[in-house]
Amino acid sequence: AVIGRYKLSVRSTSGGSSSPASVGTFVLLFNPWSSGDDVFMPNKAECEEYVLEEFGIIFGGNKDHINSFGWNFGQFQGDILNICLSMLDRSLNYRQDPATDVSHRNDPKYLGRVLSAMVNANDDQGVLLGNWSGKYEDGKSPSSWTGSGEILQNWKNSGFKPVRYGQCWVFAAVLTTVLRCLGIPTRTITNFSSAHDADGNLRVDEFYDASGNHLDVATDSIWNFHVWNESWFSRSDLGPAYNGWQVLDATPQEESGGIYQCGPTSRTAIKEGEVDLDFDCPFVFAEVNADCMYWNYDPATEKKTLIFSKSTVIGQFISTKAVGRDDRVDITNDYKYEEGSTKERDIFKKARKKLGLEDKFDPTAPTPEEIDQKPDISGKFKVAGPLEVGKDLNLILVLANLRSDAKTVHVNMTAWSTVYTRRPVHDIWKDSVSVTLSPKEEKQFPIKISYSEYQQQLTTDNMIQVTGLCHVEDGLQVLVQRDIILDNPAIDIQVLGEAKVNKEVDVEVVFTNPIHMEVKDCVLQAEGNDLLRGILEIDIPPLKASEKSSIKFKIIPFGTGPKHLLVHFSCDKFADIKTFKMVNV
């Protein structure tokens, strides 16, 4: 049966005449507990987590520094079901042909695809407008949201105008809310070092100029992380081997069938390189498998030279929240065979062949000679000190001569603030160093980027990309780079007493200003299903250097069991400090 709102009436017959009487309306949803349903999930604990759980944990950061934050999906709150149903009636498919659209609403693969388009605002005036510029003054910064409810309510209350702004985890979290609300088991997935292969050649190209600046010229990119969804349902179109977890992605990256939608892509098909199967398998396969090429590019002559290529960078630490626990589970092996294994390379070749890339000459590809070249030196940036907003950033550039003759090296270094997609936003610092390395010698060069240099330039992502392009005399260029994430200071939540239904209990939030200057424009926000109605917002007076602030507020829980209180703190020097506390009511 198609899901949605039904009218129920009863017809009674007496004395030969019959009259219908309306009994009311009901809403039919998918049922993952029922073995006949396309979304049937035999594991009851998984049904609890992926359909009934209203709190989630989303992972971000980068492969060297994975962090996490809580999210309030809130799929059973207030008006959310009505908003989800109205979302279906606002889709392009419904507007073009209502009868056909509604007749397909018994099919989770159809609905998953339609809703992956509706959660982004592209094409259809959907829920969220994406923005990756690092500037969000005319809306809310993507990293300031703590739950889906506020976004979906804002969309409805504004007369269905797109909400500003979203980035990948916001799109994925809202899609999780909508699909769980409709009864489709769904979770958020984070892929670290995620490829955005815009031209479909299973390769991503990055370009750097002679000074070491990461040039924003390629359509391809490697994101520090990307968040998408997996939903659980059967694939009658592909066969039972492809049942189970399916990838859906509501972030508007590339068009599919002329609009910004992605999936469902069978996770099994990705692992086995079956990139000719519906839907959007080549794009998702590239996100976890593409090869990387790093080029030196001269904008004046448009000449490019390969610096090096890597086939093991993309698709690392693929993560999701554990069932029934607040831990991270690594599911990389469900997406691909072990990196560097012959099986993994065979699958990659199989995918290239299916896409017709094996036989086609690609003028932009490096020659086998270029790929096989071996550098004379190696380099890396080591961290030497705390990585915290408000502190100076101390690194060490380590250069090593790999040869048995001396090498002269000139290194051009830059540091840029970036958004999490690694798109450069502001240049922060540059320097250069020249050195002669004796045979097999290793040298270290300390680097300091002061807080005053980066403070104004940091985006809400707290990310800095440090790059060194090494020009070796009579040798190959070597690229050294590191993506640094600076941690925000911590905030601490304590519940002062036992939490009981309909009884007031105090909550204390403590924040200490860790820097040697005043912070102002401080705002605390809190939300939590069955703990607070709506979002609590408290303005906090400015805090002097090293001053501690203790903020108290009351909650009156109205539901029993484990509940999550999410707290968000921001001020002029620190954006979007988040934490959560489990409260047993």
Side-chain angles (χ1 to χ4, degrees):
V2 302
I3 62 147
R5 187 172 273 108
Y6 284 76
K7 288 194 187 73
L8 180 67
S9 55
V10 173
R11 187 182 287 279
S12 56
T13 310
S14 68
S17 71
S18 70
S19 57
S22 170
V23 178
T25 62
F26 66 89
V27 178
L28 185 75
L29 304 173
F30 291 99
N31 184 354
W33 286 269
S34 163
S35 60
D37 202 300
D38 285 335
V39 302
F40 173 59
M41 193 167 225
N43 183 322
K44 297 290 171 280
E46 291 184 352
C47 284
E48 294 273 328
E49 179 75 45
Y50 299 135
V51 181
L52 298 183
E53 181 55 67
E54 293 190 81
F55 170 79
I57 290 176
I58 300 174
F59 297 93
N62 69 22
K63 67 178 189 332
D64 303 316
H65 188 99
I66 294 175
N67 53 36
S68 63
F69 51 91
W71 190 274
N72 183 7
F73 294 123
Q75 64 268 32
F76 304 122
Q77 301 302 307
D79 209 18
I80 297 301
L81 175 61
N82 291 331
I83 297 172
C84 295
L85 293 174
S86 64
M87 205 181 285
L88 296 176
D89 290 347
R90 305 188 74 79
S91 75
L92 291 178
N93 295 37
Y94 182 81
R95 285 185 236 170
Q96 284 155 5
D97 185 349
T100 305
D101 173 75
V102 171
S103 72
H104 283 127
R105 289 186 188 175
N106 58 349
D107 181 355
K109 36 181 202 302
Y110 175 80
L111 281 185
R113 189 162 174 80
V114 165
L115 289 166
S116 80
M118 272 308 293
V119 166
N120 67 66
N122 306 50
D123 315 305
D124 48 26
Q125 290 291 292
V127 178
L128 269 165
L129 194 60
N131 179 346
W132 286 267
S133 68
K135 297 177 177 54
Y136 318 109
E137 287 78 10
D138 55 343
K140 259 186 82 144
S141 139
S143 46
S144 67
W145 304 107
T146 51
S148 309
E150 188 186 359
I151 294 167
L152 289 165
Q153 295 286 359
N154 286 2
W155 183 58
K156 183 195 171 198
N157 295 343
S158 69
F160 302 103
K161 286 192 185 66
V163 176
R164 296 162 187 251
Y165 286 105
Q167 289 172 353
C168 66
W169 67 92
V170 192
F171 292 109
V174 171
L175 186 56
T176 301
T177 297
V178 176
L179 293 172
R180 285 186 184 181
C181 180
L182 299 177
I184 302 175
T186 302
R187 61 190 189 177
T188 62
I189 305 295
T190 302
N191 178 39
F192 290 94
S193 298
S194 189
H196 179 174
D197 174 23
D199 47 13
N201 59 2
L202 297 190
R203 197 182 84 218
V204 284
D205 300 298
E206 284 202 344
F207 297 95
Y208 294 82
D209 68 13
S211 307
N213 291 303
H214 179 182
L215 301 173
D216 196 12
V217 292
T219 47
D220 292 350
S221 49
I222 304 165
W223 294 19
N224 275 326
F225 69 91
H226 178 43
V227 184
W228 58 69
N229 295 93
E230 283 179 356
S231 289
W232 178 275
F233 48 82
S234 60
R235 290 301 297 265
S236 50
D237 55 331
L238 302 179
Y242 301 97
N243 289 354
W245 289 117
Q246 314 291 326
V247 173
L248 294 165
D249 193 343
T251 299
Q253 286 181 293
E254 296 296 326
E255 291 186 353
S256 171
I259 63 173
Y260 284 96
Q261 57 187 353
C262 181
T265 315
S266 159
R267 200 176 69 182
T268 306
I270 297 162
K271 182 163 182 175
E272 299 301 333
E274 307 284 355
V275 290
D276 46 348
L277 298 181
D278 284 345
F279 295 86
D280 306 308
C281 199
F283 183 74
V284 182
F285 182 85
E287 287 184 304
V288 298
N289 284 302
D291 283 351
C292 302
M293 309 277 164
Y294 300 87
W295 305 82
N296 178 210
Y297 180 74
D298 181 347
T301 60
E302 295 191 359
K303 181 177 184 298
K304 57 178 197 151
T305 325
L306 184 73
I307 305 171
F308 73 107
S309 67
K310 270 222 151 131
S311 62
T312 56
V313 169
I314 296 296
Q316 301 190 50
F317 302 110
I318 304 175
S319 303
T320 192
K321 176 189 176 297
V323 172
R325 305 194 315 278
D326 288 349
D327 302 328
R328 182 182 80 86
V329 177
D330 193 298
I331 56 167
T332 310
N333 294 340
D334 295 329
Y335 276 85
K336 55 186 180 181
Y337 291 93
E338 195 172 335
E339 237 11 302
S341 65
T342 47
K343 180 80 175 167
E344 186 265 340
R345 282 289 96 186
D346 289 347
I347 296 283
F348 188 75
K349 286 184 191 129
K350 169 180 168 183
R352 277 185 63 87
K353 197 167 178 179
K354 280 184 182 272
L355 293 172
L357 297 170
E358 285 293 283
D359 330 313
K360 201 164 70 194
F361 173 66
D362 180 358
T364 65
T367 64
E369 297 77 57
E370 279 184 296
I371 289 178
D372 289 339
Q373 300 177 103
K374 296 280 181 281
D376 297 325
I377 68 155
S378 71
K380 64 180 177 206
F381 287 113
K382 272 179 25 181
V383 172
L387 299 178
E388 293 169 23
V389 179
K391 301 228 165 83
D392 296 344
L393 173 57
N394 288 293
L395 302 171
I396 297 169
L397 171 65
V398 183
L399 296 177
N401 185 355
L402 306 173
R403 300 275 175 248
S404 41
D405 54 333
K407 294 287 170 196
T408 302
V409 186
H410 180 75
V411 189
N412 289 330
M413 294 178 288
T414 63
W416 286 72
S417 64
T418 71
V419 285
Y420 76 98
T421 62
R422 292 180 59 255
R423 184 177 159 269
V425 178
H426 295 288
D427 60 327
I428 291 174
W429 166 91
K430 57 173 168 301
D431 200 0
S432 63
V433 55
S434 287
V435 59
T436 299
L437 295 169
S438 320
K440 303 285 182 188
E441 185 188 13
E442 181 180 287
K443 275 194 177 162
Q444 301 197 348
F445 302 89
I447 291 165
K448 177 173 158 179
I449 303 171
S450 67
Y451 176 50
S452 57
E453 284 177 290
Y454 72 73
Q455 183 227 320
Q456 297 290 328
Q457 316 303 346
L458 216 50
T459 67
T460 54
D461 299 86
N462 291 354
M463 289 178 183
I464 296 175
Q465 186 181 64
V466 187
T467 303
L469 190 56
C470 309
H471 301 268
V472 184
E473 219 167 86
D474 308 323
L476 290 178
Q477 294 175 336
V478 172
L479 181 72
V480 188
Q481 67 170 188
R482 183 146 185 167
D483 289 291
I484 305 265
I485 296 181
L486 301 175
D487 285 327
N488 272 326
I491 44 175
D492 182 51
I493 316 180
Q494 295 299 330
V495 180
L496 309 174
E498 203 181 347
K500 294 185 169 172
V501 169
N502 298 332
K503 293 269 190 304
E504 245 180 27
V505 63
D506 282 318
V507 175
E508 181 182 37
V509 178
V510 177
F511 172 74
T512 304
N513 174 11
I515 58 175
H516 301 302
M517 53 179 92
E518 183 180 78
V519 300
K520 48 185 196 295
D521 309 326
C522 307
V523 181
L524 180 86
Q525 287 186 323
E527 73 168 292
N529 296 331
D530 298 338
L531 298 173
L532 287 164
R533 296 185 196 275
I535 294 175
L536 176 74
E537 189 168 298
I538 302 169
D539 290 320
I540 300 162
L543 285 169
K544 295 187 184 63
S546 307
E547 190 184 346
K548 180 170 159 179
S549 165
S550 159
I551 306 108
K552 282 190 179 158
F553 57 89
K554 294 184 186 311
I555 57 173
I556 305 176
F558 47 98
T560 58
K563 306 295 173 190
H564 288 84
L565 182 67
L566 291 98
V567 170
H568 172 273
F569 176 86
S570 64
C571 60
D572 64 335
K573 301 288 190 290
F574 303 104
D576 310 317
I577 304 177
K578 293 178 169 160
T579 189
F580 63 85
K581 177 99 177 159
M582 205 270 280
V583 182
N584 228 328
V585 181

